[in-house]
Amino acid sequence: MYLPKHFEVSEDDTAALLRKGGFGHLVTPAPDGSMEVTAMPLLYDADRHSLVGHMSRPNPHWQYTAEAESVVIIPGVDAYVTPEYYPSKQDTQRVVPTWNYQILNVYGQLRAHDDRDWLLDHVTKLTDHHENGRPTRWKVTDAPEKFIATQLKGIVGIELSITRVVAKAKLNQNRTAEDRTGVIRGLEQGNFPERETAAHMVAIGLDNA
């Protein structure tokens, strides 16, 4: 991934993004030379330093676990930025539109898991992770045991043993403090993704002069 100095993410922040996990896109070279892509929710396993998830059994992607390196792409916030948000536009007109975004690329070796106990442990952890904080939390054990057993037969677990992680945050760090503040104020008036992007820019201190 092309990563100018302005848009690098610190090791601590990269580690935090990895621990957060999220909805990612797994990309693996297929035997015929094409690229297989599967989207799925993923959790970080700190003990094994890996990302774990699952996919439908009929999906051939889980079989592509040979020596080729895979990558998981986990997108973060993103939003279109109009030049109208830049105060400097009034002075120079030397501005163009851009797109602010955050992205996490996780590289490693892919491994498949077809063990019932592994799968049950995985979907339980995944469910608990996303149900946490809800007023009424659904648990895997709420469903009939035979039903869950049938569902588990329809999926295969995957594990990406991580070899390297690259994070990028392109959020107007290369603009002046005044322009960054203008972007934040403009995005704060927009749709939900735009407001999310503005909030993240504020959270990492890009609204400070």
Side-chain angles (χ1 to χ4, degrees):
M1 177 167 60
Y2 176 58
L3 186 58
K5 190 72 175 177
H6 282 304
F7 308 135
E8 290 180 356
V9 178
S10 70
E11 288 187 12
D12 287 345
D13 288 345
T14 298
L17 288 171
L18 183 60
R19 290 192 300 270
K20 183 180 178 182
F23 193 77
H25 308 275
L26 173 67
V27 184
T28 303
D32 64 1
S34 65
M35 303 299 289
E36 192 73 27
V37 183
T38 300
M40 70 188 76
L42 294 150
L43 286 178
Y44 176 61
D45 185 329
D47 293 334
R48 298 176 61 84
H49 190 46
S50 62
L51 283 175
V52 293
H54 65 275
M55 62 181 65
S56 173
R57 184 174 296 277
N59 185 342
H61 194 159
W62 63 268
Q63 301 177 56
Y64 305 153
T65 58
E67 297 184 8
E69 185 178 55
S70 293
V71 59
V72 167
I73 303 168
I74 302 178
V77 297
D78 77 277
Y80 170 76
V81 176
T82 173
E84 296 298 327
Y85 291 158
Y86 298 139
S88 61
K89 170 183 175 292
Q90 307 304 319
D91 300 325
T92 70
Q93 299 296 326
R94 296 170 63 87
V95 292
V96 293
T98 191
W99 204 281
N100 280 5
Y101 63 89
Q102 184 183 54
I103 198 84
L104 184 70
N105 287 358
V106 186
Y107 301 84
Q109 296 300 130
L110 194 63
R111 178 186 177 190
H113 290 278
D114 199 15
D115 175 79
R116 179 192 176 281
D117 291 339
W118 190 99
L119 288 167
L120 180 59
D121 179 69
H122 162 64
V123 297
T124 299
K125 289 178 178 176
L126 183 65
T127 300
D128 290 347
H129 176 76
H130 290 288
E131 289 286 334
N132 186 41
R134 295 178 179 273
T136 302
R137 296 174 56 184
W138 186 87
K139 303 182 295 297
V140 171
T141 52
D142 288 345
E145 185 176 346
K146 288 185 178 180
F147 173 76
I148 293 298
T150 300
Q151 296 297 303
L152 292 178
K153 290 178 181 178
I155 62 174
V156 176
I158 62 98
E159 177 179 2
L160 186 78
S161 297
I162 298 170
T163 55
R164 58 193 173 105
V165 182
V166 182
K168 181 177 182 179
K170 180 185 173 296
L171 298 167
N172 291 122
Q173 299 96 319
N174 56 331
R175 305 293 306 189
T176 64
E178 291 76 14
D179 276 354
R180 288 199 303 272
T181 298
V183 169
I184 290 169
R185 299 296 168 256
L187 293 177
E188 286 175 337
Q189 307 306 311
N191 57 31
F192 181 70
E194 292 168 341
R195 297 196 302 273
E196 265 196 321
T197 303
H200 185 70
M201 292 176 69
V202 170
I204 63 175
L206 292 181
D207 60 335
N208 295 329

